[in-house]
Amino acid sequence: MQHFILLLSYLIGSISFIIGLKMLSHPDTARKGNLYAAVGMTIAILATIFLYTDENGNHLGNYLWIFGGLIIGTVVGTMIAKKVQMTAMPQMVSLFNGMGGACAAIISIVEFRHFIHKQENPSTNLIEDAMNAIAGVLHPHATATHANDKLILLTILLGLVIGTVSFFGSMIAFGKLNGNINDKTLAGQQVINIGLLLIVIVLIVAILTGFIGISITALFWTLFVIAALYGILFVMPIGGADMPVVISLLNSFTGVAAAFGGFLYSNPVMLTGGILVGSAGTILTMLMCKAMNRSLTNVIVGAFGGNAAASGISADAGGAFKEISLSDSAVLMAYSKKVVIVPGYGLAVAQAQHICHELEKLLEEKGVEVCYAIHPVAGRMPGHMNVLLAEADVPYEKLKEMEEINPEFAQTDVVLILGANDVVNPAAKTDPASPIYGMPILEVENASHVIVNKRSMKPGYAGIENMLFFQPKTSMLFGDAKKVLQDLVSELKSM
Amino acid sequence: MEQIIQFFSDNYNMVTIVILSIFLGIEVIGRVPSVLHTPLMSGANAIHGVVIIGAIIVMGQAAPDNYLAIILGFLAVILGTLNVVGGFVVTDRMLEMFSKKKQKK
């Protein structure tokens, strides 16, 4: 009966994940979907704690430790998640993703020790063996057949490798987005990465077949180190607009790692949850790549930031740029018919979303039509700008997606670019040598005037010069986005 | 070959679950407005926190004198919980902004 309730809870958990994910992909139901998934997860966790039994019918022990861990994790997790700024969301997703990866890796480590222990102390009791074999139908990890042993070992190893790569990769991604780590490319990075992957495969084969005469425990730890190294080196050279893609990819990695855990324990909810995230995450990664018109291999092998400097256009090719004063900008916008605001990461960093909304309202009062042009990868993550502007109560209808807004630029008087750069770089259309060539962009150069607010002339995240800044119709308005917008608002108010 | 057949018939249910889940994941995501990419990624991130169940099993089965297993299991439970709780709370915070705006309208 207990086992039945446990399985029923797992079924409820699996269904809640599916419905939750489905609802998460529609704006109206998204929040409820998240809640459903959370409830399903809670049911599955509680059922595991109280109802799970091993093949001999023993319940789980160590309740003090389990609840201690759950409480610590809940308190800390809630605190971090509540405290974090909206701009730091991408880092947070990466951080929590890393935690899941580490969890999967630790499970593999413990299960590996368990496995070795079992191998060294084989059961001599025939009846026990028979019992295990029967129990094995329900719990395949208990069967003593040789082939199944190898399979369990393979599952453990794959869980370890993927979990470890996911953890270390996520930590590097977190550090990069947080600004603690810079893009670094070693000479021959690709060769090293492929080499590491080959070593991983060789080590797995070696552990499974024992063709290298070293103890498999030593090989296991070597595998762990190599996987960690790969995780670090894999993310290290990737920079710029590609970070969200990497996080999404690592997200699906962790899903797969969780699914291996599901195999190990023949646990249906881990299996469905993990695989769902694995496949949904992969599709999401593809969608993001598509938004940037790049292939996944291109993202991983291309190493955006690193070798971009060589192929990008050099600064002197562009020549001079002109600056515009605050009052001139204010006048220009106030007497326009249509203003399009292009928000970018600069807006997010400066926390200028509220003041931006105020500017928009002021302009509307003056009879100017204002809307926002949202590039699919504006900011550091797709949807980043939408979340940010929604926080400042900007109406949903004012946020226009790229395909919708691009034809409208020709009728636009002023485009105000707030800390965006690569997403408006015309080199993506015109310069085949540019590393961002082929990425769809916001065609702001079709508007009558372009005002670019940036902190300096420094290139954007992709590390390349933007020809747009040197065009005659473009004016630069230097300064922190928040400060500049505040000044613009007071200029407009005094007009 | 025999081993593969053996594996397949032993784990037929699991193989089915895996393959159907893969298609389900693709189907469910299908066409998502890019507005929801970040919350969706975050929500999916919370869901793979289901790995916590493995951590709980590891923890619950650790022998009282196996300190290493206890420490590792404890750590895994904390990390898994962080993933689950943090993931869901962050997602909720992101989505809260969409609904807050809706009510005002």
Side-chain angles (χ1 to χ4, degrees):
Chain A
M1 188 62 197
Q2 277 199 352
H3 191 66
F4 171 72
I5 298 173
L6 179 72
L7 290 180
L8 200 64
S9 313
Y10 283 165
L11 189 63
I12 294 171
S14 299
I15 294 171
S16 81
F17 292 163
I18 297 166
I19 295 177
L21 264 184
K22 180 82 199 157
M23 289 172 82
L24 266 169
S25 44
H26 296 285
D28 296 338
T29 52
R31 201 171 177 200
K32 243 192 216 150
N34 186 47
L35 201 69
Y36 284 179
V39 170
M41 182 75 80
T42 314
I43 292 172
I45 289 174
L46 290 178
T48 308
I49 296 175
F50 294 112
L51 301 173
Y52 183 89
T53 48
D54 63 12
E55 52 269 32
N56 302 322
N58 297 321
H59 275 275
L60 294 177
N62 300 322
Y63 278 161
L64 213 61
W65 286 100
I66 293 177
F67 281 106
L70 283 175
I71 291 167
I72 293 174
T74 307
V75 171
V76 176
T78 315
M79 262 171 31
I80 301 175
K82 287 261 183 208
K83 236 183 62 191
V84 64
Q85 298 261 334
M86 264 300 143
T87 37
M89 280 305 168
Q91 288 93 300
M92 277 305 116
V93 176
S94 186
L95 180 73
F96 291 134
N97 181 41
M99 299 295 112
C103 184
I106 292 175
I107 291 172
S108 279
I109 292 172
V110 175
E111 285 302 322
F112 177 75
R113 290 172 50 85
H114 195 67
F115 181 84
I116 294 296
H117 185 75
K118 251 198 200 157
Q119 296 280 300
E120 282 164 0
N121 307 288
S123 150
T124 46
N125 191 330
L126 277 175
I127 299 164
E128 203 177 279
D129 272 352
M131 290 291 285
N132 281 343
I134 295 163
V137 178
L138 286 169
H139 300 271
H141 69 287
T143 41
T145 67
H146 187 67
N148 249 341
D149 269 0
K150 294 267 189 236
L151 261 169
I152 294 163
L153 193 54
L154 179 65
T155 313
I156 292 174
L157 296 180
L158 290 176
L160 175 87
V161 170
I162 298 174
T164 309
V165 168
S166 179
F167 171 69
F168 283 94
S170 296
M171 288 304 109
I172 297 293
F174 171 79
K176 281 189 149 194
L177 287 169
N178 225 12
N180 304 335
I181 302 169
N182 298 323
D183 302 347
K184 278 190 193 74
T185 314
L186 297 171
Q189 179 86 47
Q190 298 316 324
V191 182
I192 295 175
N193 282 0
I194 293 167
L196 285 175
L197 265 188
L198 284 177
I199 297 175
V200 165
I201 294 167
V202 170
L203 280 172
I204 289 177
V205 174
I207 293 172
L208 289 178
T209 59
F211 79 79
I212 298 180
I214 312 172
S215 84
I216 66 169
T217 310
L219 288 173
F220 180 83
W221 289 111
T222 318
L223 183 65
F224 172 72
V225 172
I226 298 288
L229 206 61
Y230 180 73
I232 294 169
L233 291 177
F234 160 62
V235 182
M236 211 46 159
I238 301 173
D242 288 343
M243 221 19 125
V245 178
V246 175
I247 295 178
S248 179
L249 189 66
L250 291 172
N251 195 24
S252 51
F253 276 9
T254 313
V256 175
F260 280 121
F263 256 126
L264 208 53
Y265 299 110
S266 337
N267 188 306
V269 76
M270 283 173 81
L271 204 59
T272 40
I275 293 286
L276 259 184
V277 175
S279 76
T282 310
I283 290 298
L284 196 57
T285 313
M286 300 292 192
L287 284 177
M288 289 181 183
C289 285
K290 222 168 111 192
M292 296 193 296
N293 197 16
R294 308 183 62 205
S295 72
L296 190 57
T297 28
N298 196 324
V299 169
I300 296 168
V301 180
F304 232 30
N307 47 27
S311 54
I313 315 157
S314 60
D316 47 70
F321 57 88
K322 63 171 189 284
E323 281 192 60
I324 186 169
S325 74
L326 273 164
S327 46
D328 284 351
S329 318
V331 170
L332 193 61
M333 283 193 284
Y335 291 98
S336 300
K337 272 222 275 306
K338 183 171 179 154
V339 172
V340 176
I341 299 174
V342 179
Y345 190 61
L347 178 92
V349 173
Q351 285 287 310
Q353 63 272 37
H354 293 280
I355 189 80
C356 183
H357 182 47
E358 209 180 323
L359 177 82
E360 165 218 320
K361 280 190 293 187
L362 266 174
L363 286 171
E364 296 250 284
E365 278 168 28
K366 292 187 184 292
V368 185
E369 189 193 340
V370 185
C371 64
Y372 294 84
I374 313 288
H375 191 276
V377 293
R380 288 291 180 271
M381 233 180 214
H384 195 179
M385 290 299 128
N386 305 73
V387 171
L388 205 68
L389 291 170
E391 190 195 4
D393 294 326
V394 174
Y396 187 76
E397 313 82 63
K398 288 211 168 294
L399 309 180
K400 304 216 172 159
E401 296 197 11
M402 185 171 60
E403 296 82 13
E404 195 186 341
I405 194 79
N406 263 346
E408 292 184 29
F409 279 119
Q411 293 97 46
T412 304
D413 301 301
V414 179
V415 172
L416 177 64
I417 298 174
L418 297 169
N421 190 345
D422 298 325
V423 296
V424 293
N425 194 339
K429 278 198 312 191
T430 56
D431 178 15
S434 171
I436 62 167
Y437 182 71
M439 178 173 94
I441 55 158
L442 292 165
E443 288 153 1
V444 295
E445 73 270 22
N446 295 337
S448 316
H449 294 277
V450 179
I451 300 174
V452 181
N453 165 238
K454 274 171 76 31
R455 273 173 300 184
S456 67
M457 277 310 279
K458 253 175 54 190
Y461 212 54
I464 47 173
E465 283 296 340
N466 193 335
M467 289 306 290
L468 177 75
F469 301 160
F470 305 105
Q471 282 179 5
K473 64 169 81 161
T474 308
S475 324
M476 305 300 293
L477 185 58
F478 290 118
D480 174 74
K482 192 173 191 171
K483 177 83 177 48
V484 165
L485 284 170
Q486 273 165 350
D487 293 344
L488 275 177
V489 165
S490 46
E491 283 282 344
L492 279 171
K493 274 183 179 158
S494 64
M495 266 167 71
Chain B
M1 192 60 206
E2 204 175 299
Q3 285 182 355
I4 295 169
I5 294 169
Q6 180 68 29
F7 164 77
F8 190 75
S9 38
D10 278 356
N11 299 285
Y12 179 71
N13 288 342
M14 285 216 278
V15 173
T16 311
I17 293 177
V18 168
I19 292 175
L20 291 184
S21 296
I22 291 173
F23 282 104
L24 198 60
I26 295 169
E27 233 13 77
V28 160
I29 296 301
R31 283 190 62 81
V32 195
S34 65
V35 194
L36 284 174
H37 278 176
T38 306
L40 184 66
M41 190 205 289
S42 181
N45 178 36
I47 289 174
H48 70 49
V50 72
V51 69
I52 174 82
I53 287 175
I56 290 172
I57 295 173
V58 162
M59 182 76 254
Q61 288 181 338
D65 56 343
N66 190 347
Y67 296 113
L68 190 75
I70 286 181
I71 292 167
L72 283 177
F74 186 57
L75 199 63
V77 172
I78 293 178
L79 292 175
T81 317
L82 272 175
N83 186 179
V84 172
V85 176
F88 280 124
V89 174
V90 161
T91 314
D92 190 61
R93 269 193 65 195
M94 283 188 212
L95 294 168
E96 189 184 15
M97 286 163 190
F98 289 102
S99 55
K100 196 173 68 190
K101 181 193 61 199
K102 281 245 159 55
Q103 282 161 13
K104 278 194 182 164
K105 254 192 281 176

